Amino acid sequence: MSDEPDPHAPEAKLGHLDLPAPELAEILAGQVAGLRGLTSGLEEALSASLCSCKPLTEDAFLTLQRIDYMRQALKDLEGILQRFGPSLDWSEGHGVTHEALHASVDMGDSIKPILKASKNRPQEEDTPTHGSGDLDLW
């Protein structure tokens, strides 16, 4: 018996992810943790560079507070996903489709770990592609 998904199965025709809700929550918690780490690094780098020049302006101080708020919010979201993710479940027939997942994000990289974990991965030609758009640094 093969581990490959049956292309004639109803979930394959609908393009549903073959991924339990708790596993999706675990993947999302990992992605949030990564973003929290990036935010912490950004906060430290900005703090060091801004504080070494001269006293912080009010705008710079508010920006650092916003970054700190974002870091704390990401930590809270990670905790929620880790705590309640194991008890999540899809309603009968209401899983996430590949199409809906792709439509919910701007960057395809955001969902790569989710698609990789799905046993019912779309073929390369079935995967919608989005242009990367303009680089948005600020």
Side-chain angles (χ1 to χ4, degrees):
M1 189 166 209
S2 171
D3 286 340
E4 293 296 313
D6 177 3
H8 303 293
E11 61 273 4
K13 289 181 182 176
L14 294 174
H16 280 87
L17 295 173
D18 184 8
L19 185 65
E23 193 172 333
L24 176 61
E26 184 181 337
I27 292 167
L28 291 174
Q31 289 181 288
V32 169
L35 291 172
R36 183 172 50 88
L38 290 173
T39 304
S40 292
L42 174 63
E43 186 177 21
E44 290 171 14
L46 280 174
S47 245
S49 66
L50 291 173
C51 294
S52 66
C53 304
K54 52 186 166 181
L56 290 178
T57 64
E58 186 177 337
D59 286 342
F61 184 73
L62 289 173
T63 299
L64 284 174
Q65 284 185 322
R66 287 182 189 120
I67 294 170
D68 184 57
Y69 176 85
M70 185 170 46
R71 180 189 51 78
Q72 290 178 55
L74 287 167
K75 182 178 186 281
D76 290 345
L77 290 172
E78 178 187 357
I80 290 168
L81 287 166
Q82 288 176 337
R83 170 103 190 248
F84 300 105
S87 62
L88 293 177
D89 201 358
W90 303 121
S91 298
E92 186 69 33
H94 289 94
V96 177
T97 65
H98 293 117
E99 184 179 343
L101 189 62
H102 279 282
S104 70
V105 298
D106 290 331
M107 297 187 314
D109 283 352
S110 297
I111 58 174
K112 278 184 180 179
I114 299 168
L115 294 173
K116 188 176 180 180
S118 174
K119 295 176 187 150
N120 183 23
R121 290 185 224 162
Q123 297 299 316
E124 240 358 87
E125 63 271 5
D126 294 340
T127 304
T129 57
H130 298 287
S132 62
D134 295 328
L135 185 59
D136 185 11
L137 294 176
W138 309 106

